[in-house]
Structures are given as structure tokens and as C-alpha cells.
């Protein structure tokens, strides 16, 4: 069960995973403990002391993780001040951070299925609107469930990009012009 490769990706020895989307995502997330800090933000935690208490991490570790997640654009840092106190900061999920929710739900679901812990499954995710179970799934744009062996990884088709990329050399990820040596038919060797 593997992902099929096409276009320049078909020659697996011709490109590197060094700058692939997975590597960039992992770099943005940082160390595993940063993902725990991010998860805590999903649970509504936004103040430094609450992160330290809820995660049972040292203040220096939480500080480093929060700085990393703010710099990566996943959290924003907003000042607040209670009467008679100095200015402090709250941390809130950005749109970029919120859009990571399916990935974190998938990690939770996978962990509950394959690493349930000594007492078995501990978490059940449900839809507040109907009470049915929530699951992370891979689907195509037409809504079909897609298995790993049904996925094809190839170069982007700029004329079909939903984010507005086009034949004028625009990056399909909205980042302006494509890098030197990258075209719709031949992206850079970094994948």
C-alpha cells in the first residue's frame, strides 16, 4: 500500500525530501512537546501559567515552545493586563494553527487506536451538532474516501489550483512566483 509517484516524482532518486511539505510541516511544529503546547491551545488554554500547569512542563520549556509556535505562525501573542498587574500575554490559535486541526485529530485518533495506553481508549471525539463520532479522513474534492494506494503524488497543475495559482509562474501555494528552475512540469528537486 503506497502512494503512486508521477511526473518528476516518478524518479524517486531525482528529488529530495529535504524541502517537502512534510519536512516543512514538522519544522513548523518543532519538537514533540511543541505539538502538546499546540494541542493545549485547542483545549482553550491561552495563558502561560495554565500551559505550564496543564502540561507539567518547566517554564523555560513552555517559553521556548510558545516562542517557536508564534514564530512559526501557529499561535499569536496578545497582550492583556489585569487591574494593578503588569502586562502579560495570551496565546491564541491563528488561522494557520486552526487549519492544523484535522492533522491533530488524526494524531489523536491514531494514538487511541494503536497506542491506547494501559486502561484502553481514553478519548472519544464527537460532533457537537449531532453527537456522532468525529474521524479524520482523506477524501478527494468530489468527496470520495481515498486509501493510501489510491493517491498519486505529482507536480501541481496550476490551471486547476483552487488557491488561484495560474500559468503566469505563480506559486500554487500562494507564495508569489515559483522558485528559479521550478515550473508546472518541473518543480525544484526539493519536491
Amino acid at each position: 500500500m503506497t502512494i503512486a509517484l508521477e511526473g518528476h516524482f516518478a524518479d524517486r532518486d531525482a528529488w529530495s525530501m529535504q524541502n517537502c511539505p512534510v519536512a516543512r510541516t514538522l519544522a513548523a511544529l518543532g519538537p514533540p512537546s511543541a505539538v502538546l503546547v499546540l494541542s493545549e491551545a485547542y483545549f482553550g488554554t491561552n495563558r502561560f501559567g495554565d500551559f505550564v500547569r496543564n502540561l507539567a512542563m518547566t517554564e523555560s520549556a513552555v517559553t521556548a515552545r510558545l516562542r517557536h509556535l508564534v514564530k512559526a505562525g501557529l499561535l499569536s501573542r496578545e497582550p492583556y493586563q489585569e487591574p494593578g498587574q503588569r502586562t502579560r500575554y495570551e496565546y491564541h490559535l491563528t488561522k494557520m494553527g486552526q487549519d492544523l486541526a484535522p492533522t491533530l485529530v488524526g494524531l489523536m485518533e491514531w494514538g487511541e487506536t494503536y497506542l491506547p495506553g494501559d486502561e484502553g481508549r481514553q478519548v472519544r471525539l464527537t460532533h457537537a451538532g449531532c453527537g456522532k463520532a468525529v474521524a479524520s479522513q482523506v477524501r478527494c474534492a468530489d468527496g470520495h474516501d481515498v486509501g493510501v494506494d489510491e493517491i498519486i503524488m505529482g507536480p501541481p497543475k496550476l490551471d486547476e489550483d483552487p488557491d488561484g495559482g495560474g500559468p503566469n509562474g505563480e506559486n500554487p501555494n500562494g507564495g508569489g512566483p515559483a522558485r528559479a528552475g521550478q515550473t508546472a512540469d518541473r518543480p525544484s528537486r526539493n519536491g
Side-chain angles (χ1 to χ4, degrees):
M1 203 176 235
T2 62
I3 294 175
L5 302 175
E6 71 176 18
H8 82 283
F9 293 108
D11 180 2
R12 184 60 194 91
D13 293 330
W15 54 276
S16 167
M17 288 291 287
Q18 197 167 12
N19 190 30
C20 81
V22 173
R24 291 191 309 269
T25 301
L26 291 175
L29 292 174
S33 58
V35 178
L36 296 177
V37 170
L38 191 62
S39 294
E40 195 62 33
Y42 277 97
F43 303 145
T45 301
N46 58 18
R47 294 191 174 177
F48 179 79
D50 295 333
F51 282 108
V52 172
R53 184 184 68 250
N54 294 345
L55 293 167
M57 291 171 62
T58 66
E59 288 185 4
S60 62
V62 170
T63 297
R65 301 316 172 255
L66 287 170
R67 279 187 186 144
H68 175 84
L69 293 168
V70 168
K71 185 176 180 183
L74 298 167
L75 294 177
S76 65
R77 183 176 182 242
E78 310 291 332
Y80 76 94
Q81 186 173 18
E82 294 185 3
Q85 299 292 318
R86 65 180 173 86
T87 299
R88 296 176 185 253
Y89 295 90
E90 291 183 333
Y91 298 87
H92 300 277
L93 291 163
T94 62
K95 169 128 176 50
M96 187 175 162
Q98 292 169 9
D99 287 350
L100 197 59
T103 302
L104 292 179
V105 166
L107 287 173
M108 291 175 76
E109 184 179 30
W110 186 89
E112 279 294 273
T113 300
Y114 295 104
L115 306 169
D118 295 338
E119 283 120 34
R121 294 178 77 113
Q122 301 292 309
V123 175
R124 179 172 179 254
L125 301 174
T126 57
H127 178 208
C130 71
K132 298 290 184 186
V134 171
S136 175
Q137 299 174 328
V138 178
R139 292 201 170 126
C140 73
D142 280 343
H144 305 117
D145 288 341
V146 179
V148 171
D149 58 341
E150 297 177 293
I151 298 173
I152 299 170
M153 185 173 101
K157 296 178 180 177
L158 296 178
D159 60 338
E160 297 178 3
D161 183 67
D163 294 327
N168 299 331
E170 297 172 8
N171 184 326
N173 297 321
R179 288 186 299 265
Q182 180 178 358
T183 67
D185 296 322
R186 191 174 102 31
S188 69
R189 287 181 40 100
N190 292 333

